[in-house]
Amino acid sequence: MNSVQPIPVVVLAGFLGSGKTTLLNHLLGNRGGTRIGVVVNDFGSIEIDAMSVAGQVGDSMVSLGGGCLCCAVDGSELDAYLDKLAAPVHRIDVIVIEASGLAEPQEMVRMLMANENPAIRYGGLVQVVDAAEFDRTRAAHPETDRHLAVADLVVLNKTDRVDSAERARIKAEIAALCAPGTPLVGADHGRIDPELLFDRRPWTETRGQLSFEDLLAEARPGDDDHAGHAHTRYESVEFTSDQALSPRRLIDFLDRRPAGLYRIKGFVWFGVPGHEERYEVHAVGRFLRFGPGPWGRGERRRTQLVLIGSGIDAPALLRELADCREPAPQDARPESMWAVLRYVPQPEPPAPCDPFPQEP
C-alpha cells in the first residue's frame, strides 16, 4: 500500500529536444499495470508536452506551465502537486517529473529532498542526452557538464542517428563528465526498459470486455516480436539468502558496482542488534536508498534482491553477494550499520518552540 511504501519520484531531465517526452510516452505505453503520476514542467505558456501525454494518464497528471519549476522560490507549488498525486484515492505507484529543457536538475532534486510529505520519496535523476546534438548542446549550454555530473542515470538517446565510432566517442566523453560509476544507457526513440526505473505490475483493470493490455496490443499490431524491444538488451539477476548480510561488505559491493548495473531493488536482512528490521533497498544508477520497515507476521528473515543491467557478469555478481553473507550477525556491533544508515532518509527535527511568543 502507498500509505506504507512511499511513492518514488523520478526526475526526467535533459535539454530541449533531447527526447524526454518521447521517453515518457514510451514509459506510459509500456507500464503494464503500474499507475504513473506525471508532472510536466513546460517552459512557456503553451504546454505542448503536457498535451502530448495528457491522453495517457488522465487525472493523474498536473502541469506547471509558464516557466521552469526550478525557478520556484520555495518549491511550495511542486509540493502541492505532489501532495495531490500522492493522495491514496489515485493509488499511484510512481511519479515522473518531466523537467523543462531549461531547468536546473540539481535544484529540482534539492526541492524533492526537502519535501516533507512522508507519502513520497526521491527516486533518482535521469538525464536524457541527444546523441546527434551532443557537441552543439555542450557548446551552446556549458552547464551540460554540471547536469551530467549530478545524474544518477544517463540515457543517450537518438543513438540511431550516429554511427558506432561517434557513439563510442560520445559515451567516453559522457563517462568522463559523470561521477564514477554512473550508468549510461543507449536508446533510440526513447525506448528503455521501464523496469530500469520502476516495477511494472500485472494488469488487473478492465474496460468493458477487454483489458488495458488487450487495448494496447490492438493499438500496436505485430508487436509480438520482442527482438527489437528494449528489454532484450538487459539482463536480470536474482539473489536470495536466508543468511544475514554484512552491512559493511554489502555497502562495499554497492559502492563499486559496475556501470552496466542500472537498477537494484529488493529487501535486505542484516540482523544486527538494534537493526533487525527489513531494509528495502532501491538503486537507480548511482542513486541509492535504504528504508527500514517491519517484517510481516510470520515472514521469513531473508534477503531478496533483483539486479538489472547490461553487459554484466551475472555469476561474478552472485559470487560477490554471496561473499557478503554474515554467519553471526548477532555478534556484530551496532556501528557496523553506520554505512547503511547514511542512505536512510532522516526525518526533519521539529522546529523549536518559542518560549516567548510575540503578542499579535
Side-chain angles (χ1 to χ4, degrees):
M1 298 293 291
N2 287 335
S3 59
V4 176
Q5 298 293 338
I7 303 169
V9 181
V10 177
V11 178
L12 192 61
F15 280 108
L16 300 168
S18 59
K20 298 185 302 296
T21 301
T22 302
L23 193 154
L24 177 57
N25 279 327
H26 172 73
L27 295 177
L28 293 171
N30 295 273
R31 67 189 186 274
T34 303
R35 298 179 66 90
I36 304 177
V38 179
V39 176
V40 177
N41 170 216
D42 269 1
F43 186 81
S45 57
I46 302 177
E47 299 169 359
I48 303 298
D49 288 350
M51 286 187 275
S52 69
V53 299
Q56 299 199 55
V57 291
D59 294 335
S60 297
M61 187 187 82
V62 292
S63 181
L64 303 173
C68 290
L69 181 63
C70 60
C71 297
V73 175
D74 59 5
S76 58
E77 187 178 12
L78 172 62
D79 290 346
Y81 284 129
L82 292 176
D83 288 347
K84 173 185 175 181
L85 287 175
V89 66
H90 295 305
R91 296 183 290 120
I92 296 294
D93 298 305
V94 61
I95 297 172
V96 178
I97 299 178
E98 183 190 347
S100 158
L102 302 177
E104 283 291 340
Q106 59 267 50
E107 290 303 310
M108 302 187 71
V109 172
R110 179 189 59 79
M111 286 190 287
L112 285 172
M113 298 293 281
N115 187 287
E116 298 180 352
N117 186 343
I120 64 170
R121 60 174 171 81
Y122 173 58
L125 169 63
V126 180
Q127 188 75 18
V128 184
V129 175
D130 183 340
E133 298 292 329
F134 178 66
D135 293 329
R136 283 184 285 271
T137 299
R138 284 190 73 195
H141 303 282
E143 61 269 30
T144 299
D145 296 6
R146 185 175 69 249
H147 295 176
L148 288 169
V150 298
D152 296 302
L153 175 68
V154 177
V155 176
L156 182 61
N157 196 28
K158 306 185 186 180
T159 55
D160 55 315
R161 295 180 54 193
V162 297
D163 59 31
S164 57
E166 184 71 353
R167 282 198 299 273
R169 179 188 68 84
I170 294 171
K171 286 182 177 180
E173 292 195 24
I174 291 175
L177 294 169
C178 292
T182 302
L184 173 62
V185 181
D188 59 85
H189 300 88
R191 292 192 289 255
I192 68 169
D193 192 337
E195 291 280 348
L196 297 181
L197 305 181
F198 55 80
D199 294 337
R200 280 181 290 191
R201 301 183 184 279
W203 289 92
T204 56
E205 298 178 81
T206 59
R207 182 182 295 170
Q209 299 301 310
L210 294 176
S211 71
F212 285 123
E213 186 175 29
D214 294 331
L215 293 171
L216 281 175
E218 283 189 354
R220 296 196 294 259
D223 207 30
D224 292 334
D225 180 10
H226 286 233
H229 290 197
H231 64 73
T232 62
R233 298 197 292 266
Y234 305 114
E235 302 170 68
S236 178
V237 180
E238 297 183 6
F239 173 78
T240 300
S241 174
D242 289 325
Q243 197 170 347
L245 299 191
S246 161
R248 287 175 175 163
R249 290 198 291 273
L250 179 63
I251 290 297
D252 181 60
F253 165 81
L254 294 172
D255 284 345
R256 53 185 172 79
R257 61 192 185 271
L261 185 54
Y262 304 133
R263 188 169 184 227
I264 303 171
K265 57 182 179 177
F267 302 95
V268 182
W269 175 43
F270 294 112
V272 175
H275 301 278
E276 291 91 353
E277 306 98 324
R278 184 181 72 168
Y279 279 78
E280 179 188 12
V281 60
H282 170 78
V284 173
R286 289 190 310 117
F287 174 74
L288 176 63
R289 177 188 180 273
F290 282 93
W295 295 93
R297 179 177 297 178
E299 184 177 1
R300 182 195 296 183
R301 273 50 172 170
R302 68 192 316 196
T303 293
Q304 294 177 288
L305 296 175
V306 176
L307 302 90
I308 302 172
S310 177
I312 56 177
D313 186 340
L317 291 176
L318 292 174
R319 284 195 301 269
E320 291 186 58
L321 284 169
D323 289 342
C324 293
R325 292 187 175 118
E326 174 56 60
Q330 68 278 2
D331 297 333
R333 299 180 64 85
E335 54 264 32
S336 66
M337 286 291 296
W338 289 352
V340 171
L341 297 178
R342 284 189 297 135
Y343 297 101
V344 174
Q346 300 300 316
E348 293 289 329
C353 297
D354 186 353
F356 303 104
Q358 304 239 342
E359 292 291 332

PDB file of all heavy atoms in Angstrom, residues 183-213:
ATOM      1  N   PRO A 183      25.753   4.923 -14.540  1.00  0.00           N
ATOM      2  CA  PRO A 183      25.372   4.098 -15.685  1.00  0.00           C
ATOM      3  C   PRO A 183      24.943   4.944 -16.881  1.00  0.00           C
ATOM      4  O   PRO A 183      24.349   6.019 -16.720  1.00  0.00           O
ATOM      5  CB  PRO A 183      24.189   3.274 -15.157  1.00  0.00           C
ATOM      6  CG  PRO A 183      24.306   3.328 -13.682  1.00  0.00           C
ATOM      7  CD  PRO A 183      24.881   4.674 -13.385  1.00  0.00           C
ATOM      8  N   LEU A 184      25.230   4.460 -18.071  1.00  0.00           N
ATOM      9  CA  LEU A 184      24.861   5.111 -19.318  1.00  0.00           C
ATOM     10  C   LEU A 184      24.109   4.105 -20.168  1.00  0.00           C
ATOM     11  O   LEU A 184      24.638   3.045 -20.511  1.00  0.00           O
ATOM     12  CB  LEU A 184      26.114   5.610 -20.046  1.00  0.00           C
ATOM     13  CG  LEU A 184      25.942   6.178 -21.452  1.00  0.00           C
ATOM     14  CD1 LEU A 184      25.040   7.409 -21.415  1.00  0.00           C
ATOM     15  CD2 LEU A 184      27.302   6.538 -22.044  1.00  0.00           C
ATOM     16  N   VAL A 185      22.862   4.431 -20.517  1.00  0.00           N
ATOM     17  CA  VAL A 185      22.007   3.551 -21.302  1.00  0.00           C
ATOM     18  C   VAL A 185      21.825   4.146 -22.688  1.00  0.00           C
ATOM     19  O   VAL A 185      21.439   5.311 -22.807  1.00  0.00           O
ATOM     20  CB  VAL A 185      20.625   3.375 -20.641  1.00  0.00           C
ATOM     21  CG1 VAL A 185      19.752   2.437 -21.459  1.00  0.00           C
ATOM     22  CG2 VAL A 185      20.770   2.861 -19.222  1.00  0.00           C
ATOM     23  N   GLY A 186      22.084   3.375 -23.724  1.00  0.00           N
ATOM     24  CA  GLY A 186      21.824   3.817 -25.079  1.00  0.00           C
ATOM     25  C   GLY A 186      20.388   3.539 -25.473  1.00  0.00           C
ATOM     26  O   GLY A 186      19.793   2.555 -25.034  1.00  0.00           O
ATOM     27  N   ALA A 187      19.792   4.434 -26.281  1.00  0.00           N
ATOM     28  CA  ALA A 187      18.402   4.255 -26.692  1.00  0.00           C
ATOM     29  C   ALA A 187      18.155   4.968 -28.012  1.00  0.00           C
ATOM     30  O   ALA A 187      18.865   5.908 -28.368  1.00  0.00           O
ATOM     31  CB  ALA A 187      17.441   4.799 -25.634  1.00  0.00           C
ATOM     32  N   ASP A 188      17.168   4.484 -28.733  1.00  0.00           N
ATOM     33  CA  ASP A 188      16.653   5.239 -29.874  1.00  0.00           C
ATOM     34  C   ASP A 188      15.156   5.407 -29.675  1.00  0.00           C
ATOM     35  O   ASP A 188      14.475   4.517 -29.173  1.00  0.00           O
ATOM     36  CB  ASP A 188      16.962   4.527 -31.201  1.00  0.00           C
ATOM     37  CG  ASP A 188      16.371   3.129 -31.279  1.00  0.00           C
ATOM     38  OD1 ASP A 188      15.192   3.018 -31.658  1.00  0.00           O
ATOM     39  OD2 ASP A 188      17.077   2.163 -30.936  1.00  0.00           O
ATOM     40  N   HIS A 189      14.648   6.601 -30.020  1.00  0.00           N
ATOM     41  CA  HIS A 189      13.243   6.943 -29.814  1.00  0.00           C
ATOM     42  C   HIS A 189      12.809   6.766 -28.354  1.00  0.00           C
ATOM     43  O   HIS A 189      11.653   6.443 -28.072  1.00  0.00           O
ATOM     44  CB  HIS A 189      12.337   6.121 -30.734  1.00  0.00           C
ATOM     45  CG  HIS A 189      12.613   6.334 -32.195  1.00  0.00           C
ATOM     46  ND1 HIS A 189      13.555   5.578 -32.893  1.00  0.00           N
ATOM     47  CD2 HIS A 189      12.117   7.228 -33.082  1.00  0.00           C
ATOM     48  CE1 HIS A 189      13.592   5.996 -34.145  1.00  0.00           C
ATOM     49  NE2 HIS A 189      12.739   7.008 -34.296  1.00  0.00           N
ATOM     50  N   GLY A 190      13.750   6.962 -27.423  1.00  0.00           N
ATOM     51  CA  GLY A 190      13.415   6.915 -26.002  1.00  0.00           C
ATOM     52  C   GLY A 190      13.040   5.556 -25.483  1.00  0.00           C
ATOM     53  O   GLY A 190      12.475   5.437 -24.388  1.00  0.00           O
ATOM     54  N   ARG A 191      13.376   4.487 -26.211  1.00  0.00           N
ATOM     55  CA  ARG A 191      12.938   3.159 -25.803  1.00  0.00           C
ATOM     56  C   ARG A 191      13.928   2.553 -24.816  1.00  0.00           C
ATOM     57  O   ARG A 191      14.948   1.984 -25.208  1.00  0.00           O
ATOM     58  CB  ARG A 191      12.767   2.260 -27.035  1.00  0.00           C
ATOM     59  CG  ARG A 191      11.612   2.674 -27.943  1.00  0.00           C
ATOM     60  CD  ARG A 191      11.317   1.579 -28.959  1.00  0.00           C
ATOM     61  NE  ARG A 191      12.377   1.501 -29.955  1.00  0.00           N
ATOM     62  CZ  ARG A 191      12.264   1.961 -31.207  1.00  0.00           C
ATOM     63  NH1 ARG A 191      11.145   2.541 -31.592  1.00  0.00           N
ATOM     64  NH2 ARG A 191      13.260   1.829 -32.056  1.00  0.00           N
ATOM     65  N   ILE A 192      13.615   2.686 -23.540  1.00  0.00           N
ATOM     66  CA  ILE A 192      14.358   1.993 -22.493  1.00  0.00           C
ATOM     67  C   ILE A 192      13.376   1.108 -21.743  1.00  0.00           C
ATOM     68  O   ILE A 192      12.160   1.305 -21.812  1.00  0.00           O
ATOM     69  CB  ILE A 192      15.066   2.958 -21.518  1.00  0.00           C
ATOM     70  CG1 ILE A 192      14.039   3.733 -20.676  1.00  0.00           C
ATOM     71  CG2 ILE A 192      15.984   3.913 -22.252  1.00  0.00           C
ATOM     72  CD1 ILE A 192      14.650   4.491 -19.522  1.00  0.00           C
ATOM     73  N   ASP A 193      13.900   0.140 -21.045  1.00  0.00           N
ATOM     74  CA  ASP A 193      13.047  -0.762 -20.286  1.00  0.00           C
ATOM     75  C   ASP A 193      12.512  -0.038 -19.059  1.00  0.00           C
ATOM     76  O   ASP A 193      13.288   0.442 -18.231  1.00  0.00           O
ATOM     77  CB  ASP A 193      13.861  -1.988 -19.857  1.00  0.00           C
ATOM     78  CG  ASP A 193      12.984  -3.104 -19.308  1.00  0.00           C
ATOM     79  OD1 ASP A 193      11.869  -2.808 -18.862  1.00  0.00           O
ATOM     80  OD2 ASP A 193      13.427  -4.263 -19.339  1.00  0.00           O
ATOM     81  N   PRO A 194      11.188   0.084 -18.905  1.00  0.00           N
ATOM     82  CA  PRO A 194      10.638   0.738 -17.714  1.00  0.00           C
ATOM     83  C   PRO A 194      11.112   0.129 -16.408  1.00  0.00           C
ATOM     84  O   PRO A 194      11.149   0.801 -15.375  1.00  0.00           O
ATOM     85  CB  PRO A 194       9.117   0.571 -17.890  1.00  0.00           C
ATOM     86  CG  PRO A 194       8.919   0.429 -19.358  1.00  0.00           C
ATOM     87  CD  PRO A 194      10.131  -0.332 -19.843  1.00  0.00           C
ATOM     88  N   GLU A 195      11.483  -1.166 -16.438  1.00  0.00           N
ATOM     89  CA  GLU A 195      11.945  -1.825 -15.220  1.00  0.00           C
ATOM     90  C   GLU A 195      13.233  -1.207 -14.682  1.00  0.00           C
ATOM     91  O   GLU A 195      13.599  -1.428 -13.526  1.00  0.00           O
ATOM     92  CB  GLU A 195      12.170  -3.320 -15.476  1.00  0.00           C
ATOM     93  CG  GLU A 195      10.894  -4.112 -15.715  1.00  0.00           C
ATOM     94  CD  GLU A 195      10.172  -4.455 -14.422  1.00  0.00           C
ATOM     95  OE1 GLU A 195      10.765  -4.281 -13.344  1.00  0.00           O
ATOM     96  OE2 GLU A 195       9.017  -4.905 -14.499  1.00  0.00           O
ATOM     97  N   LEU A 196      13.927  -0.417 -15.502  1.00  0.00           N
ATOM     98  CA  LEU A 196      15.116   0.271 -15.007  1.00  0.00           C
ATOM     99  C   LEU A 196      14.738   1.364 -14.008  1.00  0.00           C
ATOM    100  O   LEU A 196      15.567   1.785 -13.202  1.00  0.00           O
ATOM    101  CB  LEU A 196      15.895   0.898 -16.168  1.00  0.00           C
ATOM    102  CG  LEU A 196      16.456  -0.069 -17.206  1.00  0.00           C
ATOM    103  CD1 LEU A 196      17.213   0.692 -18.278  1.00  0.00           C
ATOM    104  CD2 LEU A 196      17.369  -1.100 -16.549  1.00  0.00           C
ATOM    105  N   LEU A 197      13.496   1.825 -14.067  1.00  0.00           N
ATOM    106  CA  LEU A 197      13.064   2.929 -13.205  1.00  0.00           C
ATOM    107  C   LEU A 197      12.014   2.519 -12.191  1.00  0.00           C
ATOM    108  O   LEU A 197      11.965   3.081 -11.094  1.00  0.00           O
ATOM    109  CB  LEU A 197      12.525   4.088 -14.061  1.00  0.00           C
ATOM    110  CG  LEU A 197      13.464   4.626 -15.136  1.00  0.00           C
ATOM    111  CD1 LEU A 197      12.795   5.769 -15.879  1.00  0.00           C
ATOM    112  CD2 LEU A 197      14.775   5.102 -14.519  1.00  0.00           C
ATOM    113  N   PHE A 198      11.146   1.577 -12.548  1.00  0.00           N
ATOM    114  CA  PHE A 198      10.076   1.207 -11.613  1.00  0.00           C
ATOM    115  C   PHE A 198       9.583  -0.193 -11.946  1.00  0.00           C
ATOM    116  O   PHE A 198       9.825  -0.719 -13.029  1.00  0.00           O
ATOM    117  CB  PHE A 198       8.905   2.202 -11.674  1.00  0.00           C
ATOM    118  CG  PHE A 198       8.331   2.406 -13.047  1.00  0.00           C
ATOM    119  CD1 PHE A 198       7.445   1.501 -13.606  1.00  0.00           C
ATOM    120  CD2 PHE A 198       8.672   3.525 -13.788  1.00  0.00           C
ATOM    121  CE1 PHE A 198       6.915   1.686 -14.867  1.00  0.00           C
ATOM    122  CE2 PHE A 198       8.159   3.732 -15.055  1.00  0.00           C
ATOM    123  CZ  PHE A 198       7.272   2.809 -15.601  1.00  0.00           C
ATOM    124  N   ASP A 199       8.868  -0.791 -10.985  1.00  0.00           N
ATOM    125  CA  ASP A 199       8.298  -2.122 -11.166  1.00  0.00           C
ATOM    126  C   ASP A 199       7.023  -2.034 -12.002  1.00  0.00           C
ATOM    127  O   ASP A 199       6.167  -1.184 -11.746  1.00  0.00           O
ATOM    128  CB  ASP A 199       7.954  -2.753  -9.816  1.00  0.00           C
ATOM    129  CG  ASP A 199       9.182  -3.035  -8.979  1.00  0.00           C
ATOM    130  OD1 ASP A 199      10.269  -3.169  -9.575  1.00  0.00           O
ATOM    131  OD2 ASP A 199       9.054  -3.107  -7.743  1.00  0.00           O
ATOM    132  N   ARG A 200       6.929  -2.905 -12.984  1.00  0.00           N
ATOM    133  CA  ARG A 200       5.680  -2.994 -13.729  1.00  0.00           C
ATOM    134  C   ARG A 200       4.785  -4.022 -13.065  1.00  0.00           C
ATOM    135  O   ARG A 200       5.193  -5.154 -12.823  1.00  0.00           O
ATOM    136  CB  ARG A 200       5.950  -3.369 -15.190  1.00  0.00           C
ATOM    137  CG  ARG A 200       6.383  -2.184 -16.021  1.00  0.00           C
ATOM    138  CD  ARG A 200       6.613  -2.567 -17.457  1.00  0.00           C
ATOM    139  NE  ARG A 200       7.799  -3.399 -17.607  1.00  0.00           N
ATOM    140  CZ  ARG A 200       8.333  -3.695 -18.777  1.00  0.00           C
ATOM    141  NH1 ARG A 200       7.787  -3.239 -19.878  1.00  0.00           N
ATOM    142  NH2 ARG A 200       9.410  -4.446 -18.860  1.00  0.00           N
ATOM    143  N   ARG A 201       3.561  -3.635 -12.801  1.00  0.00           N
ATOM    144  CA  ARG A 201       2.623  -4.521 -12.109  1.00  0.00           C
ATOM    145  C   ARG A 201       1.759  -5.269 -13.130  1.00  0.00           C
ATOM    146  O   ARG A 201       1.579  -4.816 -14.252  1.00  0.00           O
ATOM    147  CB  ARG A 201       1.730  -3.713 -11.165  1.00  0.00           C
ATOM    148  CG  ARG A 201       2.528  -2.957 -10.113  1.00  0.00           C
ATOM    149  CD  ARG A 201       1.608  -2.237  -9.150  1.00  0.00           C
ATOM    150  NE  ARG A 201       2.371  -1.437  -8.202  1.00  0.00           N
ATOM    151  CZ  ARG A 201       2.952  -1.920  -7.116  1.00  0.00           C
ATOM    152  NH1 ARG A 201       2.845  -3.209  -6.843  1.00  0.00           N
ATOM    153  NH2 ARG A 201       3.630  -1.140  -6.303  1.00  0.00           N
ATOM    154  N   PRO A 202       1.188  -6.403 -12.720  1.00  0.00           N
ATOM    155  CA  PRO A 202       0.291  -7.132 -13.634  1.00  0.00           C
ATOM    156  C   PRO A 202      -0.952  -6.303 -13.934  1.00  0.00           C
ATOM    157  O   PRO A 202      -1.401  -5.499 -13.110  1.00  0.00           O
ATOM    158  CB  PRO A 202      -0.074  -8.395 -12.837  1.00  0.00           C
ATOM    159  CG  PRO A 202       0.955  -8.499 -11.762  1.00  0.00           C
ATOM    160  CD  PRO A 202       1.375  -7.096 -11.452  1.00  0.00           C
ATOM    161  N   TRP A 203      -1.496  -6.484 -15.124  1.00  0.00           N
ATOM    162  CA  TRP A 203      -2.747  -5.808 -15.482  1.00  0.00           C
ATOM    163  C   TRP A 203      -3.890  -6.402 -14.685  1.00  0.00           C
ATOM    164  O   TRP A 203      -4.088  -7.604 -14.640  1.00  0.00           O
ATOM    165  CB  TRP A 203      -3.033  -5.985 -16.975  1.00  0.00           C
ATOM    166  CG  TRP A 203      -2.110  -5.199 -17.847  1.00  0.00           C
ATOM    167  CD1 TRP A 203      -0.935  -5.620 -18.390  1.00  0.00           C
ATOM    168  CD2 TRP A 203      -2.269  -3.846 -18.257  1.00  0.00           C
ATOM    169  NE1 TRP A 203      -0.363  -4.614 -19.120  1.00  0.00           N
ATOM    170  CE2 TRP A 203      -1.155  -3.521 -19.063  1.00  0.00           C
ATOM    171  CE3 TRP A 203      -3.250  -2.873 -18.038  1.00  0.00           C
ATOM    172  CZ2 TRP A 203      -1.000  -2.266 -19.643  1.00  0.00           C
ATOM    173  CZ3 TRP A 203      -3.089  -1.629 -18.620  1.00  0.00           C
ATOM    174  CH2 TRP A 203      -1.991  -1.332 -19.410  1.00  0.00           C
ATOM    175  N   THR A 204      -4.680  -5.525 -14.068  1.00  0.00           N
ATOM    176  CA  THR A 204      -5.836  -6.003 -13.301  1.00  0.00           C
ATOM    177  C   THR A 204      -7.109  -5.262 -13.677  1.00  0.00           C
ATOM    178  O   THR A 204      -8.199  -5.747 -13.435  1.00  0.00           O
ATOM    179  CB  THR A 204      -5.602  -5.809 -11.789  1.00  0.00           C
ATOM    180  OG1 THR A 204      -5.306  -4.432 -11.515  1.00  0.00           O
ATOM    181  CG2 THR A 204      -4.440  -6.674 -11.310  1.00  0.00           C
ATOM    182  N   GLU A 205      -6.961  -4.054 -14.272  1.00  0.00           N
ATOM    183  CA  GLU A 205      -8.145  -3.266 -14.591  1.00  0.00           C
ATOM    184  C   GLU A 205      -8.641  -3.629 -15.986  1.00  0.00           C
ATOM    185  O   GLU A 205      -7.879  -3.998 -16.867  1.00  0.00           O
ATOM    186  CB  GLU A 205      -7.822  -1.777 -14.526  1.00  0.00           C
ATOM    187  CG  GLU A 205      -7.386  -1.330 -13.141  1.00  0.00           C
ATOM    188  CD  GLU A 205      -7.024   0.133 -13.131  1.00  0.00           C
ATOM    189  OE1 GLU A 205      -7.949   0.960 -13.045  1.00  0.00           O
ATOM    190  OE2 GLU A 205      -5.837   0.444 -13.217  1.00  0.00           O
ATOM    191  N   THR A 206      -9.943  -3.489 -16.197  1.00  0.00           N
ATOM    192  CA  THR A 206     -10.519  -3.780 -17.495  1.00  0.00           C
ATOM    193  C   THR A 206     -11.415  -2.634 -17.928  1.00  0.00           C
ATOM    194  O   THR A 206     -11.906  -1.858 -17.122  1.00  0.00           O
ATOM    195  CB  THR A 206     -11.349  -5.072 -17.459  1.00  0.00           C
ATOM    196  OG1 THR A 206     -12.393  -4.918 -16.492  1.00  0.00           O
ATOM    197  CG2 THR A 206     -10.489  -6.273 -17.104  1.00  0.00           C
ATOM    198  N   ARG A 207     -11.606  -2.543 -19.215  1.00  0.00           N
ATOM    199  CA  ARG A 207     -12.540  -1.577 -19.789  1.00  0.00           C
ATOM    200  C   ARG A 207     -13.478  -2.392 -20.659  1.00  0.00           C
ATOM    201  O   ARG A 207     -13.074  -2.906 -21.706  1.00  0.00           O
ATOM    202  CB  ARG A 207     -11.779  -0.533 -20.609  1.00  0.00           C
ATOM    203  CG  ARG A 207     -12.673   0.523 -21.204  1.00  0.00           C
ATOM    204  CD  ARG A 207     -11.849   1.476 -22.045  1.00  0.00           C
ATOM    205  NE  ARG A 207     -10.911   2.222 -21.227  1.00  0.00           N
ATOM    206  CZ  ARG A 207      -9.958   2.975 -21.735  1.00  0.00           C
ATOM    207  NH1 ARG A 207      -9.797   3.073 -23.042  1.00  0.00           N
ATOM    208  NH2 ARG A 207      -9.141   3.636 -20.944  1.00  0.00           N
ATOM    209  N   GLY A 208     -14.735  -2.571 -20.241  1.00  0.00           N
ATOM    210  CA  GLY A 208     -15.639  -3.443 -20.963  1.00  0.00           C
ATOM    211  C   GLY A 208     -15.156  -4.880 -20.893  1.00  0.00           C
ATOM    212  O   GLY A 208     -14.857  -5.402 -19.833  1.00  0.00           O
ATOM    213  N   GLN A 209     -15.079  -5.530 -22.050  1.00  0.00           N
ATOM    214  CA  GLN A 209     -14.651  -6.917 -22.099  1.00  0.00           C
ATOM    215  C   GLN A 209     -13.153  -7.062 -22.350  1.00  0.00           C
ATOM    216  O   GLN A 209     -12.630  -8.166 -22.348  1.00  0.00           O
ATOM    217  CB  GLN A 209     -15.423  -7.655 -23.200  1.00  0.00           C
ATOM    218  CG  GLN A 209     -16.920  -7.683 -22.977  1.00  0.00           C
ATOM    219  CD  GLN A 209     -17.272  -8.357 -21.655  1.00  0.00           C
ATOM    220  OE1 GLN A 209     -16.800  -9.456 -21.361  1.00  0.00           O
ATOM    221  NE2 GLN A 209     -18.121  -7.719 -20.858  1.00  0.00           N
ATOM    222  N   LEU A 210     -12.457  -5.953 -22.615  1.00  0.00           N
ATOM    223  CA  LEU A 210     -11.032  -6.016 -22.918  1.00  0.00           C
ATOM    224  C   LEU A 210     -10.224  -5.404 -21.787  1.00  0.00           C
ATOM    225  O   LEU A 210     -10.630  -4.398 -21.200  1.00  0.00           O
ATOM    226  CB  LEU A 210     -10.724  -5.252 -24.218  1.00  0.00           C
ATOM    227  CG  LEU A 210     -11.309  -5.833 -25.505  1.00  0.00           C
ATOM    228  CD1 LEU A 210     -10.985  -4.906 -26.673  1.00  0.00           C
ATOM    229  CD2 LEU A 210     -10.752  -7.215 -25.770  1.00  0.00           C
ATOM    230  N   SER A 211      -9.084  -5.992 -21.493  1.00  0.00           N
ATOM    231  CA  SER A 211      -8.176  -5.381 -20.521  1.00  0.00           C
ATOM    232  C   SER A 211      -7.426  -4.248 -21.197  1.00  0.00           C
ATOM    233  O   SER A 211      -7.359  -4.155 -22.425  1.00  0.00           O
ATOM    234  CB  SER A 211      -7.176  -6.422 -20.004  1.00  0.00           C
ATOM    235  OG  SER A 211      -6.253  -6.766 -21.007  1.00  0.00           O
ATOM    236  N   PHE A 212      -6.810  -3.362 -20.395  1.00  0.00           N
ATOM    237  CA  PHE A 212      -5.994  -2.299 -20.961  1.00  0.00           C
ATOM    238  C   PHE A 212      -4.845  -2.890 -21.769  1.00  0.00           C
ATOM    239  O   PHE A 212      -4.430  -2.337 -22.780  1.00  0.00           O
ATOM    240  CB  PHE A 212      -5.453  -1.402 -19.840  1.00  0.00           C
ATOM    241  CG  PHE A 212      -6.491  -0.484 -19.264  1.00  0.00           C
ATOM    242  CD1 PHE A 212      -6.787  -0.504 -17.917  1.00  0.00           C
ATOM    243  CD2 PHE A 212      -7.164   0.397 -20.080  1.00  0.00           C
ATOM    244  CE1 PHE A 212      -7.738   0.336 -17.389  1.00  0.00           C
ATOM    245  CE2 PHE A 212      -8.122   1.252 -19.559  1.00  0.00           C
ATOM    246  CZ  PHE A 212      -8.417   1.227 -18.211  1.00  0.00           C
ATOM    247  N   GLU A 213      -4.329  -4.030 -21.307  1.00  0.00           N
ATOM    248  CA  GLU A 213      -3.247  -4.682 -22.035  1.00  0.00           C
ATOM    249  C   GLU A 213      -3.723  -5.092 -23.423  1.00  0.00           C
ATOM    250  O   GLU A 213      -3.013  -4.927 -24.417  1.00  0.00           O
ATOM    251  CB  GLU A 213      -2.760  -5.897 -21.256  1.00  0.00           C
ATOM    252  CG  GLU A 213      -1.540  -6.546 -21.862  1.00  0.00           C
ATOM    253  CD  GLU A 213      -1.023  -7.668 -20.985  1.00  0.00           C
ATOM    254  OE1 GLU A 213      -1.832  -8.287 -20.277  1.00  0.00           O
ATOM    255  OE2 GLU A 213       0.183  -7.918 -21.020  1.00  0.00           O
TER     256      GLU A 213
END
